[in-house]
Structure formats: structure tokens, C-alpha cells
Amino acid sequence: MRLRIIFLFITTVFNLTAQVKDTLPNFTDEYFLVKDGDTLMIELNEVAVLPKHKFKSKVDVNYYYWFRKKVFKAYPYAILASKRLDSLNARLNRIESKSKRRKYVKRVQKYVEEELTDQIKKMTKTEGRVLIKLIHRQTGKTVFQNIKELRSGWKAFWYNTTANVFSLSLKDEFHPESENEDYLIEDILQRAYIDEALEYQEPKLKIDSNEILNARSGEVDVEKYKKMFAKMRKKRKKKKKKQKLKRVG
């Protein structure tokens, strides 16, 4: 009987030990186990805590997530542009001949244009504007400045004039500390980085994201987009009325 009790005791202790072991974290290079008396200390990577969003109405939530889709669509192309420019500049620093440098720049330009042109043409005005601002964020220079460095001043002027036809300026800069739209872009990016929904790339532009986002305490202003959609609805109504009048006439 005693042997049976001892056996049950040992089995129970073994099972409890196994359970405790299973609940311990899988220690990798990201964890550090420190023995401090009877205390176990685990050092984890820092996680940014952003203020909770404050929406004025339930409708505003929809507009925020509509704009979030625009940022998600434009961001990968800003990342791509930054990578291509970095590789271009690194290669140019190793080429001494001016003629070879010009040939290489033309080759890269053609490659980037083929890679991006078709995709950018499919973008809406909002997506195009966001892309222009994101390129400034990621490269540290406006689209106009980047073009000017690679092409002649006249070419840059022509690109800028063409963009202005569509109510866009290649000279637009990214200022999340003062511009509401830029603040929303930065808010969306930082939350996407935390969720690992977007690839993180260090911006060339110096930005104190935490300070900027905490200053607004999570307030979301989407009035600009609400007004934009209201105008679009009015235009559609006018168009429908004209079409009805034509059919009646």
C-alpha cells in the first residue's frame, strides 16, 4: 500500500513539473533569464503604446479606414522608390566616368518607370497625393527634388506642371506635426508597424512619431474627406438630373 502511495506521489510531482515546464517561455535571443534571489526576470523588446482613437462619430470610423486603404496602397511604392534611389546612389559613388554615370542613371530611370508607371496611373488623386508625401518621408526629398537630381530642371518643371493638372504637386512635403492629412498617414503607419501589417523602413526624414501622435491624444479629423464625398454626391445628382432631362426632351 505504501509503495502504491509513494508511486502516485512521484507520478503527481512529475506531472506538475512537466506542466510548469510547458508554461515557461521558449527562451531565444530576445529573452534573458536572470536569477535574482527567487525572482525570474525576462527582458522583452520595447512595444510602442499609441493613444486610443477618438472619433467624433461612428461615420468617421468608416472614413478613417477608407483613408487607411489609400495609405496601404501607396506605401509599398514609396518603399520601392526609396530602395531604388539608395541602390542608385550607392552604385553611382563607385562609378568615376561621367558618361558611364549618365548611362547608368538612364538605365535605372527606365527600369523604375516600367516598374511604377502602370501602377501609379491606376491610382486615384488621393492615393497619388499620399504617395508623393510618402516619398518625401522615405527619401528625405520631395518627388520634384528627386527628379531634378536625375533629370534636367526643365524635365522636373514639366513633371510638376503635368501633376498640377490633376491637382497634385510634386513639391508637396510631409509634415505630420502640422498637417492633418500627414498626421493621419503617420498614425496609420505606426499602428500598421505594430501590427506587422506593413514592412518597416526607416524614414530619411527626421520624425518624432511618438511625440506627434501623443500630442493629438488619438483624435481623428476626417472632415476633409466627408466634404469631398459630399461634393462628389452633389455632382452625381446633377449628372443624373441632366441625363433625365435629356431623355425627357
Side-chain angles (χ1 to χ4, degrees):
M1 184 70 177
R2 281 186 179 178
L3 286 171
R4 189 177 178 184
I5 292 168
I6 292 168
F7 177 77
L8 287 169
F9 176 77
I10 292 170
T11 305
T12 304
V13 170
F14 178 80
N15 288 335
L16 286 170
T17 305
Q19 287 174 17
V20 170
K21 188 177 180 182
D22 288 341
T23 60
L24 287 173
N26 181 24
F27 296 106
T28 63
D29 293 338
E30 295 178 358
Y31 300 90
F32 300 92
L33 182 62
V34 180
K35 188 176 180 182
D36 185 13
D38 294 326
T39 306
L40 288 175
M41 297 176 64
I42 302 172
E43 186 176 329
L44 301 173
N45 290 336
E46 287 186 12
V47 178
V49 179
L50 300 178
K52 188 178 179 181
H53 281 143
K54 294 176 184 176
F55 294 100
K56 294 176 184 177
S57 69
K58 290 181 179 179
V59 175
D60 287 13
V61 177
N62 295 330
Y63 283 97
Y64 175 84
Y65 280 98
W66 166 84
F67 186 66
R68 183 176 180 266
K69 286 181 181 178
K70 303 297 180 184
V71 175
F72 271 51
K73 186 173 180 179
Y75 182 75
Y77 298 112
I79 290 284
L80 183 62
S82 180
K83 286 179 178 178
R84 293 291 178 264
L85 284 169
D86 285 345
S87 59
L88 171 64
N89 291 326
R91 182 69 185 272
L92 286 176
N93 289 333
R94 298 195 297 268
I95 301 174
E96 294 181 2
S97 170
K98 287 184 179 180
S99 60
K100 286 182 179 179
R101 283 167 68 94
R102 282 196 294 270
K103 284 180 182 178
Y104 182 69
V105 168
K106 284 181 180 179
R107 196 165 74 231
V108 172
Q109 281 173 0
K110 187 180 178 182
Y111 175 67
V112 172
E113 284 173 7
E114 288 174 355
E115 200 172 26
L116 294 176
T117 301
D118 289 342
Q119 296 300 325
I120 292 172
K121 280 181 179 178
K122 295 175 186 176
M123 286 186 174
T124 63
K125 289 181 185 179
T126 302
E127 290 161 355
R129 185 172 65 251
V130 170
L131 176 62
I132 288 168
K133 292 184 176 188
L134 283 175
I135 286 175
H136 182 225
R137 182 186 188 273
Q138 297 309 124
T139 67
K141 296 174 184 176
T142 64
V143 174
F144 182 85
Q145 288 169 335
N146 279 310
I147 292 170
K148 195 173 182 180
E149 285 186 6
L150 298 175
R151 295 175 178 266
S152 67
W154 167 246
K155 286 278 188 179
F157 170 80
W158 179 250
Y159 270 60
N160 193 51
T161 305
T162 306
N164 276 324
V165 173
F166 303 100
S167 303
L168 297 174
S169 173
L170 301 182
K171 293 181 180 179
D172 276 356
E173 297 181 355
F174 186 69
H175 294 290
E177 73 287 350
S178 57
E179 296 293 327
N180 181 62
E181 183 167 76
D182 298 356
Y183 162 81
L184 291 176
I185 293 171
E186 191 63 29
D187 176 82
I188 289 164
L189 290 180
Q190 292 305 320
R191 293 176 193 276
Y193 294 150
I194 292 171
D195 295 337
E196 296 183 354
L198 288 177
E199 174 192 352
Y200 176 77
Q201 183 191 63
E202 188 73 26
K204 297 288 194 308
L205 207 63
K206 289 183 180 179
I207 303 167
D208 191 338
S209 301
N210 286 332
E211 186 179 334
I212 291 166
L213 299 183
N214 285 318
R216 290 275 291 266
S217 303
E219 289 183 6
V220 177
D221 180 4
V222 290
E223 292 303 312
K224 175 181 178 179
Y225 311 115
K226 289 166 82 172
K227 288 176 182 177
M228 183 181 77
F229 273 92
K231 285 181 180 178
M232 286 170 64
R233 282 192 289 269
K234 282 182 180 179
K235 283 182 180 179
R236 284 173 187 168
K237 283 181 180 179
K238 285 182 180 179
K239 201 172 185 180
K240 284 181 180 180
K241 281 182 179 180
K242 284 182 180 179
Q243 287 173 349
K244 282 183 180 179
L245 288 169
K246 282 182 180 180
R247 284 198 291 268
V248 171

